[in-house]
Amino acid sequence: VNRDGCQRLDLSGNARNCFLTGNPDSYRNFTGKGLRCLLDVPNTEVYRNAHHGSGRFCSQSSQPLGEKIPSLQISSVGQLPHHFPSWNIQVIRSFHTSPSLQAAPVPLFWIIVKPAQKLLAIILGRSIRKWWKALPPNKRELFKESARKNKWKILLGVSSLGIVFVMFYFTHLEETPITGRPRLMVFGKEHFRELSQMEYDMWRELFKNQMLPETHAGYQVVETIVGHLSESNKDVPQVSALKWVIHVVDEPVVNAFVLPNGQVFVFTGLLDAVSDIHQLSFILGHEIAHAVLEHAAEKASLVHFLDFLSLIFLTMIWAICPRDSLAVVGQWIQSKLQEFMFDRPYSRTLEAEADKVGLQFAAKACVDVRASSVFWQQMELAEAIEGQPKMPEWLSTHPSHENRAEHLDRLIPEALKIRESCNCPSLSGPDPRLIFRLNMQRLLELAEGREAPNSTKQDPSKPKLDFPHT
C-alpha cells in the first residue's frame, strides 16, 4: 500500500484493486489531486503460473509474461486516472479501436476501378434518359407496347441476373475463424496482406519521427503484453501464423490498430487513457482479434459486393430522374441508405465480434477480464464530464460506449470460465466494476454536497457534475 492509500498493482490478480479507504478526506484528495498507482512490474510476477495446466481453450505457455517490464504509471481499475479531466475529450469521443482505414483497406485495383464504374453507370443512365426524351411520341408508344408483349422475357432476364448474384454470394461464403459465423469473402487473404504491407509503409513514413524506441518503457509494456497474448493463444492457427511487430507512436490520440499482416500500432494517448494493464491487454486483444478474424478482407468484400449491386440502382436513378439535379439527390439518398442500412451496422457487428474474441484471448492470457467493461464506462464518463451530446449508435460504425460495456458484462462470465480452465491465478479483492460504481456514486455525492450552498444560483433542471480541478 502506498502513501496515497492505494494498493500497488499486482497483475497476477492479487491486490490489484486501487480503491479509496478511510475518511471522506481521501475522496476529496482523489477528486482534487488524484491518486496514482505505479505499475512497478519488476517487483511483481506477472501472470505467473498462468499455464500450469491446459484446458480445452488453452495453449501451453513456456514462460510467464516477461520478468522485466519497465515501470509505467497507470492508474488501476476502478478509479479515474489522476489526469482524467485533462484528457482531450474530443479525441476520446472519436476513439475507435480500429479506424476505418485500417479496418477495411481496399484492394489497389478496386481503388482505381470503383470511381470509373460509378462514372460509367452515371453516363449510361444519363444516356438512356436523353435517348428516351429524344424519341418521337409514336416510337415511345411502340417501345412500350413491345415491352408489354415481352414482359415475361424481360422478367426472366432480370430473374436470371438476380440468380447470378445469389449464386455468386453463396459460392463465396466461408466460416469466420473461431466464431464460425458465415461471411462473404471475395478477396484473397494473401493479397490483403500484401496490400497491408503497402499501408504499413505509409504509416511508418507518416510517424517515422514519433516512434518510441524499443528501450522506452511504454514500448516494452506493449511488446510484453502482445507477446504474452500471442503466446497464450498460439493454439489458434491464425495467431501463430502472424509475426506481431510493435510500434508505439508518441501521439495524444487515444487509439490503437493492427494491420492484417500483424503490424501493431499503439498511440501513447491510449497508454494514458487506460487505467491499468488489464484494460490495455483487453484492447490489444481486441485489435489482434480484428487481424485474426480477417475483418479487413471481409469488410472490403461486402463493400465490393454492395457497390457492384448499387451500380444497377445508380444507372436506374440517372435514367429515370428527369433532371440531373434530381439524379444527384437520388444518388445521395441511395448511398446514405446503403451506408446506414448495411455498412455501419455491419461494422458494428464486426466490432462486437472482435470484443468477444478479444475477451477470450485476454482470458486465456490470465487477464482480469472484468476490467474490459470498466474502460468503456470511463470513456462514457469522459463524454459526460465534457457535456458532449451522445451520438445515436445507428450513426456510428462502432457500438456506443454504454452498449459496449453492457455487451462485455454479458460476456465476462464465460470469459471467467475460460480463464479458470486455463488454471489462471484466482482473482481476489472486489470486482473492479463494483469499485468503479462506488467511486462514481461517491463523486456524485460530493458534487451534490458542493452544489447545495450554490443551489439558488443554478437551474435545478440541469445538474452539473463538477470536479474540483476540471
Side-chain angles (χ1 to χ4, degrees):
V1 179
N2 64 22
R3 64 184 181 183
D4 289 317
C6 180
Q7 293 181 337
R8 190 172 295 279
L9 194 62
D10 178 354
L11 300 182
S12 65
N14 300 319
R16 22 157 279 295
N17 288 305
C18 172
F19 54 94
L20 303 169
T21 58
N23 57 44
D25 289 338
S26 63
Y27 289 93
R28 296 189 181 94
N29 183 54
F30 167 70
T31 57
K33 298 179 180 178
L35 295 177
R36 179 180 294 183
C37 287
L38 299 181
L39 176 57
D40 194 4
V41 184
N43 298 326
T44 62
E45 297 186 30
V46 181
Y47 307 130
R48 184 173 292 282
N49 302 323
H51 301 279
H52 284 323
S54 63
R56 62 188 181 93
F57 296 101
C58 304
S59 169
Q60 289 287 356
S61 182
S62 58
Q63 294 181 353
L65 174 63
E67 298 286 344
K68 297 181 179 180
I69 303 179
S71 177
L72 179 68
Q73 292 180 345
I74 302 180
S75 305
S76 69
V77 171
Q79 74 166 79
L80 298 176
H82 70 282
H83 55 289
F84 185 86
S86 64
W87 282 5
N88 186 331
I89 304 298
Q90 187 62 36
V91 171
I92 291 175
R93 281 182 54 79
S94 62
F95 172 69
H96 297 314
T97 49
S98 290
S100 58
L101 181 58
Q102 287 75 32
V106 183
L108 187 61
F109 176 76
W110 184 240
I111 292 176
I112 300 171
V113 172
K114 184 177 176 180
Q117 286 183 332
K118 285 191 174 182
L119 181 61
L120 288 174
I122 292 172
I123 294 173
L124 177 60
R126 198 166 182 269
S127 300
I128 293 173
R129 186 213 313 162
K130 287 189 172 183
W131 167 79
W132 180 257
K133 284 184 176 180
L135 280 178
N138 61 329
K139 289 189 176 182
R140 288 187 191 179
E141 290 301 322
L142 288 173
F143 189 87
K144 290 178 182 178
E145 183 63 26
S146 177
R148 282 193 289 268
K149 288 180 179 179
N150 297 284
K151 61 182 179 181
W152 293 111
K153 292 182 180 180
I154 296 172
L155 182 61
L156 180 62
V158 173
S159 300
S160 300
L161 184 62
I163 291 172
V164 169
F165 277 109
V166 171
M167 289 180 61
F168 177 86
Y169 179 84
F170 282 103
T171 54
H172 286 79
L173 284 181
E174 66 173 44
E175 286 191 352
T176 305
I178 303 176
T179 63
R181 174 180 54 84
R183 63 178 180 184
L184 177 70
M185 287 292 279
V186 177
F187 301 111
K189 301 159 191 174
E190 292 301 323
H191 176 61
F192 255 81
R193 288 179 183 172
E194 292 174 5
L195 289 173
S196 66
Q197 181 63 38
M198 297 171 57
E199 188 179 358
Y200 164 67
D201 293 338
M202 179 193 72
W203 288 116
R204 184 178 59 181
E205 179 65 22
L206 181 63
F207 297 126
K208 63 181 179 181
N209 297 323
Q210 297 163 276
M211 295 287 190
L212 295 184
E214 295 182 5
T215 55
H216 192 278
Y219 180 96
Q220 293 183 17
V221 168
V222 174
E223 181 184 44
T224 306
I225 292 174
V226 172
H228 187 64
L229 285 170
S230 60
E231 179 69 17
S232 302
N233 293 276
K234 64 181 180 181
D235 58 317
V236 180
Q238 293 80 5
V239 174
S240 56
L242 289 175
K243 181 182 178 181
W244 307 97
V245 182
I246 311 303
H247 309 276
V248 180
V249 184
D250 188 13
E251 274 283 332
V253 179
V254 184
N255 216 337
F257 60 87
V258 177
L259 298 179
N261 62 353
Q263 301 287 345
V264 180
F265 284 80
V266 179
F267 296 86
T268 53
L270 178 62
L271 300 181
D272 293 334
V274 295
S275 291
D276 62 20
I277 203 169
H278 301 284
Q279 291 184 2
L280 184 59
S281 297
F282 161 70
I283 292 171
L284 293 176
H286 168 98
E287 292 306 320
I288 290 173
H290 273 304
V292 167
L293 298 173
E294 298 159 345
H295 282 168
E298 178 181 351
K299 182 66 182 296
S301 296
L302 178 71
V303 171
H304 176 82
F305 184 74
L306 291 177
D307 282 349
F308 195 75
L309 283 176
S310 69
L311 292 176
I312 299 173
F313 294 100
L314 188 60
T315 304
M316 292 174 59
I317 288 170
W318 280 87
I320 294 173
C321 291
R323 294 190 300 274
D324 288 349
S325 58
L326 292 177
V328 169
V329 173
Q331 180 181 344
W332 180 83
I333 293 174
Q334 182 256 340
S335 65
K336 291 303 176 184
L337 286 175
Q338 177 182 329
E339 179 181 357
F340 291 111
M341 293 180 64
F342 296 99
D343 296 348
R344 297 199 179 198
Y346 201 79
S347 293
R348 293 195 292 269
T349 298
L350 297 185
E351 287 299 319
E353 185 178 55
D355 276 345
K356 179 180 180 179
V357 175
L359 196 66
Q360 293 175 3
F361 287 167
K364 290 168 67 176
C366 297
V367 172
D368 186 351
V369 292
R370 302 173 301 179
S372 58
S373 65
V374 176
F375 174 78
W376 293 109
Q377 292 177 47
Q378 290 175 181
M379 299 295 285
E380 184 182 9
L381 181 62
E383 293 182 351
I385 290 176
E386 182 67 10
Q388 295 287 346
K390 288 187 178 180
M391 183 173 66
E393 186 177 85
W394 62 273
L395 289 175
S396 176
T397 58
H398 287 57
S400 67
H401 300 332
E402 180 181 5
N403 289 342
R404 208 161 190 174
E406 291 176 357
H407 178 238
L408 287 167
D409 279 334
R410 292 192 296 269
L411 296 173
I412 283 172
E414 182 62 28
L416 290 173
K417 291 179 182 178
I418 295 175
R419 194 180 184 279
E420 183 179 355
S421 71
C422 293
N423 291 336
C424 296
S426 60
L427 297 170
S428 63
D431 190 320
R433 295 169 292 178
L434 175 62
I435 297 301
F436 183 84
R437 286 196 295 269
L438 291 175
N439 281 339
M440 292 305 99
Q441 181 180 353
R442 183 56 181 167
L443 289 173
L444 287 171
E445 291 174 356
L446 287 174
E448 290 175 359
R450 291 189 49 179
E451 289 174 359
N454 302 320
S455 58
T456 57
K457 299 180 180 180
Q458 294 186 7
D459 184 355
S461 64
K462 297 180 179 179
K464 181 181 178 183
L465 182 60
D466 186 21
F467 295 99
H469 58 297
T470 57

